């Protein structure tokens, strides 16, 4: 197995090391062989969000460098939730958490490889906490956690100053620390990373390994992603920056990156894309010279859409491949080509970072194969030119059916653009490669 000796240097250059245990020891471990590492995700919502994407992409960087990932979805810790400054969490029932575990797992899996010598493994901490008795928890785990150190944690201190914290959330650090200990014992995992807001929990696990097993573990934390004024990049006008395209449209996801402040472009390119150092520095130079062109934001939006691996599926009239977004100008995809009724963005994002098609007028002529010639969907960039067969029909996602209204033949396009409802699903009319749309 080939290891990338520049991994840690690259993480440092990208600004992904906000905190760490002994860096020299970590560097030596990463150079000595494939390190088994883990990163955890609590299913406290039905989707992961932008902050989680930092951890997913960092896990991919480590795996690409030859190391072995364990991606943990917290079926147990998700029942509690780590303490937050805003107050006590609402506890979700077991069925809800179980459903969210599966949704989160499906979001993580496409980013990792489950084949080869350093194949990824998905784990659920409910597997090793479900049978843990209260007595065993207190004797075997609680014994290793001095209360004074738990009280010194910043989130706990702020909560106590604001009015208090439940024992449930106060003890969350013990639950997360059990994860690192269990993975160390059962799988030989020796490295954990996560967001810097989790640093106390992460080091709690490393310390538990030392106290309970006499072992040595490594850890690092990535920085929180903030705007220039220090506030979190956690929200859009419509809500959180979810990774689920049903909760945040690919169009809105793309627009978020296009609207990033100029001074944050370089930082976000390093963290969220797999562009090389030379590529990023070239984009930064172009952006600094002519910021009004927004070359940095465009590169960030396009590269991020690729990085999140949201690819249009090929196929026939099955799953929707795109969703109708808000109307606007065709220029969102390139040249200034006039008003359009509805920009069509990929439902699953992808190789097309901007709207990939627009809804045009109707084809001239009679019905084809017994079907009325309906609104046409064709690529924005060539404005229907030389397209003998528009290949997407307008479907109704509620009924799960395909309404094959795209016409055939090269007839002229006249009349006003079709007015469609944002959110309407678009499905392939026939089994044709998506690349031909």
């Amino acid at each position: 197995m080939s290891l990338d000796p520049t991994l840690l240097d690259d993480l440092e250059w990208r600004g992904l090391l906000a905190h760490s245990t002994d860096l020299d020891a970590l560097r030596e471990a990463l150079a000595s062989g494939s390190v088994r590492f883990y990163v955890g995700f609590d299913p406290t919502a039905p989707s992961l969000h932008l902050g989680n994407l930092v951890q997913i992409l960092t896990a991919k960087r480590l795996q690409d460098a030859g190391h072995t990932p364990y991606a943990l979805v917290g079926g147990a810790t998700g029942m509690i939730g780590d303490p937050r400054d805003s107050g006590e969490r609402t506890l979700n029932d077991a069925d809800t958490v179980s459903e969210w575990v599966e949704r989160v797992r499906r979001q993580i899996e496409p980013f990792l490889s489950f084949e080869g010598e350093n194949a990824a493994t998905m784990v659920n901490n409910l597997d090793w906490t479900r049978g843990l008795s209260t007595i065993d928890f207190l004797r075997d785990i609680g014994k290793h956690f001095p209360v004074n150190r738990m009280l010194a944690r910043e989130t706990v201190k702020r909560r106590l100053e604001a009015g208090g914290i439940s024992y449930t959330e106060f003890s969350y650090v013990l639950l997360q620390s059990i994860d690192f200990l269990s993975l160390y014992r059962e799988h030989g995992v020796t490295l954990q990373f996560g967001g810097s807001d989790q640093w106390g929990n992460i080091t709690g696990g490393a310390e538990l390994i030392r106290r309970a097993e006499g072992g040595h573990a490594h850890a690092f934390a990535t920085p929180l992603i903030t705007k220039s004024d220090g506030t979190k990049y956690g929200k859009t006008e419509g809500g959180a920056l979810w990774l689920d395209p049903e909760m945040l449209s690919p169009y809105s996801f793309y627009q978020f990156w296009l609207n990033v402040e100029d001074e944050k472009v370089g930082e976000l390119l390093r963290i969220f894309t797999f562009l090389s150092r030379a590529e990023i520095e070239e984009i930064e130079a172009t952006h600094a010279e002519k910021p009004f062109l927004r070359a940095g934001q465009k590169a960030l939006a396009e590269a991020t859409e690729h990085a999140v691996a949201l690819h249009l599926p090929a196929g026939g009239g099955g799953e929707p491949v795109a969703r109708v977004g808000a109307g606007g100008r065709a220029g969102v995809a390139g040249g200034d080509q006039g008003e359009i009724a509805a920009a069509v963005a990929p439902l699953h994002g992808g190789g097309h970072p901007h709207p990939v098609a627009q809804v045009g007028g109707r084809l001239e002529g009679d019905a084809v194969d017994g079907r009325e010639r309906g609104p046409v969907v064709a690529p924005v960039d060539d404005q229907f030119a030389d397209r003998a067969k528009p290949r997407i029909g307008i479907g109704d996602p509620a009924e799960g059916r395909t309404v094959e209204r795209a016409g055939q033949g090269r007839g002229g396009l006249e009349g006003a653009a079709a007015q469609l409802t944002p959110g309407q699903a678009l499905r392939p009319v026939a089994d044709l490669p998506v690349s031909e749309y």
Side-chain angles (χ1 to χ4, degrees):
M1 180 185 305
S2 176
L3 299 176
D4 181 356
T6 68
L7 170 63
L8 206 56
D9 293 332
D10 184 64
L11 295 179
E12 287 187 288
W13 176 77
R14 292 180 182 275
L16 287 169
L17 298 180
H19 308 289
S20 72
T21 53
D22 187 329
L23 268 181
D24 290 336
L26 177 57
R27 189 184 302 275
E28 182 180 351
L30 292 171
S32 299
S34 182
V35 171
R36 298 185 180 190
F37 67 90
Y38 102 90
V39 58
F41 304 88
D42 275 350
T44 53
S47 172
L48 297 175
H49 53 73
L50 183 69
N52 302 127
L53 183 58
V54 179
Q55 313 314 324
I56 297 173
L57 298 179
T58 302
K60 178 171 173 54
R61 294 184 201 281
L62 266 69
Q63 186 178 35
D64 289 349
H67 303 287
T68 306
Y70 286 75
L72 183 150
V73 182
T77 44
M79 296 285 289
I80 304 299
D82 60 316
R84 55 185 182 179
D85 290 341
S86 58
E88 291 286 318
R89 293 179 180 272
T90 299
L91 299 181
N92 297 302
D93 62 69
D95 289 341
T96 298
V97 174
S98 178
E99 177 189 346
W100 290 353
V101 164
E102 290 305 305
R103 290 176 64 119
V104 168
R105 179 184 58 78
R106 289 195 296 269
Q107 287 184 317
I108 297 168
E109 285 179 338
F111 294 89
L112 302 174
S113 172
F114 292 83
E115 300 177 349
E117 293 181 70
N118 64 330
T121 301
M122 298 293 300
V123 293
N124 183 342
N125 58 18
L126 189 61
D127 293 340
W128 53 79
T129 56
R130 183 189 287 112
L132 184 64
S133 72
T134 303
I135 296 298
D136 289 340
F137 174 73
L138 293 174
R139 284 178 57 90
D140 299 339
I141 305 299
K143 188 69 173 176
H144 298 296
F145 284 82
V147 172
N148 60 323
R149 290 186 60 183
M150 295 173 67
L151 289 171
R153 298 176 64 218
E154 290 300 319
T155 301
V156 172
K157 286 196 295 185
R158 288 192 292 267
R159 287 284 296 276
L160 290 174
E161 292 169 358
I165 184 172
S166 68
Y167 178 75
T168 299
E169 292 194 3
F170 180 65
S171 60
Y172 177 88
V173 62
L174 278 72
L175 284 179
Q176 183 168 322
S177 297
I178 293 173
D179 295 342
F180 203 173
L181 178 63
S182 297
L183 291 171
Y184 175 85
R185 285 172 170 170
E186 300 299 323
H187 299 280
V189 171
T190 57
L191 169 64
Q192 181 189 1
F193 71 87
S196 58
D197 57 338
Q198 293 293 309
W199 184 239
N201 297 327
I202 293 170
T203 55
E207 180 67 8
L208 180 59
I209 289 172
R210 186 187 70 81
R211 289 173 175 261
E213 295 289 315
H216 181 72
H218 308 281
F220 69 86
T222 61
L224 293 182
I225 308 304
T226 62
K227 302 176 186 177
S228 297
D229 62 6
T231 58
K232 289 184 180 181
Y233 274 123
K235 303 284 183 180
T236 63
E237 290 185 5
L241 289 163
W242 302 112
L243 301 188
D244 188 331
E246 293 294 330
M247 296 175 67
L248 179 72
S249 72
Y251 176 80
S252 296
F253 186 76
Y254 182 74
Q255 288 298 311
F256 163 75
W257 299 108
L258 280 185
N259 291 315
V260 163
E261 309 109 304
D262 288 336
E263 57 268 34
K264 300 293 287 187
V265 167
E267 173 189 339
L268 298 181
L269 279 169
R270 287 167 170 78
I271 291 173
F272 285 101
T273 79
F274 287 84
L275 296 175
S276 69
R277 183 169 186 165
E279 289 172 318
I280 290 174
E281 290 176 346
E282 181 180 355
I283 292 169
E284 287 181 300
T286 301
H287 182 69
E289 182 180 356
K290 297 180 178 180
F292 57 90
L293 294 178
R294 302 187 73 76
Q297 285 88 344
K298 291 175 182 177
L300 178 62
E302 294 177 10
T304 304
E305 284 270 328
H306 285 285
V308 297
L310 303 175
H311 299 293
L312 282 168
E319 292 299 313
V321 297
R323 187 170 298 285
V324 177
R329 300 188 67 80
V332 296
D336 186 0
Q337 298 163 336
E339 298 291 336
I340 59 176
V344 181
L347 181 60
H348 300 288
H352 305 276
H354 40 244
V356 293
Q358 76 175 57
V359 179
R362 295 173 178 270
L363 287 170
E364 294 179 343
D366 300 326
V368 177
D369 297 333
R371 297 194 298 270
E372 176 187 357
R373 295 184 186 276
V376 172
V377 180
V380 169
D381 53 8
D382 64 12
Q383 290 290 284
F384 313 118
D386 298 322
R387 294 286 167 166
K389 185 186 294 183
R391 295 183 174 90
I392 300 180
I394 301 167
D396 184 344
E399 298 184 18
R401 62 188 175 86
T402 300
V403 184
E404 296 180 342
R405 294 170 60 191
Q408 297 187 50
R410 189 175 292 179
L413 292 167
E414 297 179 358
Q419 296 294 324
L420 296 182
T421 303
Q424 191 167 18
L426 300 177
R427 302 169 185 267
V429 170
D431 291 323
L432 296 166
V434 170
S435 61
E436 291 188 42
Y437 290 161

